[in-house]
Amino acid sequence: MYKLLIVEDDLGIANAIRLQANAWNLETRVVEDFRSVLAEYTDFEPHIILLDIALPFFDGYHWCSEIRKISKVPIIFISSASDNMNIVMAMNMGADDFIAKPFDQSVLMAKLQALLRRTYDFAASVPVLEHKGAFLNTGDNTLTYEDEKIPLTKNEYRILLCLMENKGNVVSRERLMERLWETDSFVDENTLTVNVNRLRKKLDQAGLEEFIATRFGVGYIIE
């Protein structure tokens, strides 16, 4: 089932879209905290986004730009501000389509379905893991924090991926070594320690101090 994130502050419109989308077998979430749209995106991991321009706190252009820094997820703008300038700006910000309000629900659903088919018939959804404002994109193996990409070696990426996938739980050193062995990267205790220390140094230099905590005699944790 595809997932749709609805970023619309008019609750009547948002709920109408949600009900129609559910009828079309789409799983939906309506954003409630318009200061944390990016956090809602990373938590829900939608396959497509409907995004209004006029929103509280930050407009839709801002959130489109923020999402585009970490994801190529399809975005459709919905707005009553449908003059050419807004349409051009939306497309230049990275939107995939623009639908003017008021719109016919069946037309909206048809556009959603068409964009989903074009996107996911040829490419799988790429999840993004987030913690403390750092975004690990599993599509291109990059870590982004405050608009900066932090370079990672293959082993550093795999260690960080394992820890972020198990956020809140201690990952043993043995499990980390097994995870690296699974990808033909044969490491021993000393090599793992070196990789973790180098990764921590990179995170510290980027402003992510104490991102990885040690549980002595057990392993590591991101919490």
Side-chain angles (χ1 to χ4, degrees), residues 162-163 165-172 215 219-223:
C162 187
L163 292 173
E165 285 176 339
N166 294 277
K167 186 167 60 175
N169 298 304
V170 177
V171 179
S172 69
R215 293 291 181 267
Y220 304 98
I221 185 173
I222 287 177
E223 56 185 356

Side-chain angles (χ1 to χ4, degrees), residues 157-210:
Y157 165 75
R158 291 162 182 160
I159 291 168
L160 193 56
L161 175 62
C162 187
L163 292 173
M164 291 183 74
E165 285 176 339
N166 294 277
K167 186 167 60 175
N169 298 304
V170 177
V171 179
S172 69
R173 291 176 59 85
E174 290 77 14
R175 175 61 190 131
L176 284 174
M177 286 189 289
E178 288 172 6
R179 186 68 173 265
L180 295 174
W181 291 336
E182 289 169 2
T183 54
D184 298 326
S185 183
F186 300 101
V187 298
D188 56 19
E189 288 273 354
N190 291 333
T191 306
L192 178 63
T193 300
V194 169
N195 277 274
V196 171
N197 288 341
R198 285 176 178 169
L199 175 57
R200 276 179 162 155
K201 185 176 181 180
K202 287 183 180 180
L203 295 173
D204 288 345
Q205 291 173 342
L208 290 164
E209 293 88 358
E210 300 180 1

Side-chain angles (χ1 to χ4, degrees), residues 15 18 20 30 40 50 59 72 103 163 184 190 194:
N15 283 332
R18 179 178 57 81
Q20 187 75 5
V30 176
E40 294 247 20
L50 285 178
D59 62 23
K72 295 180 181 179
F103 46 77
L163 292 173
D184 298 326
N190 291 333
V194 169

Side-chain angles (χ1 to χ4, degrees), residues 70-129:
I70 61 171
S71 175
K72 295 180 181 179
V73 64
I75 297 174
I76 298 179
F77 270 98
I78 50 174
S79 177
S80 55
S82 57
D83 56 275
N84 288 341
M85 184 182 72
N86 277 296
I87 295 173
V88 170
M89 186 176 296
M91 305 310 272
N92 286 339
M93 294 295 289
D96 296 275
D97 206 343
F98 189 108
I99 300 177
K101 297 177 183 177
F103 46 77
D104 184 282
Q105 290 277 12
S106 61
V107 172
L108 175 62
M109 291 301 117
K111 281 181 170 284
L112 281 170
Q113 294 289 343
L115 187 51
L116 284 168
R117 285 195 302 270
R118 288 200 303 271
T119 304
Y120 298 106
D121 279 353
F122 302 102
S125 175
V126 176
V128 176
L129 304 178

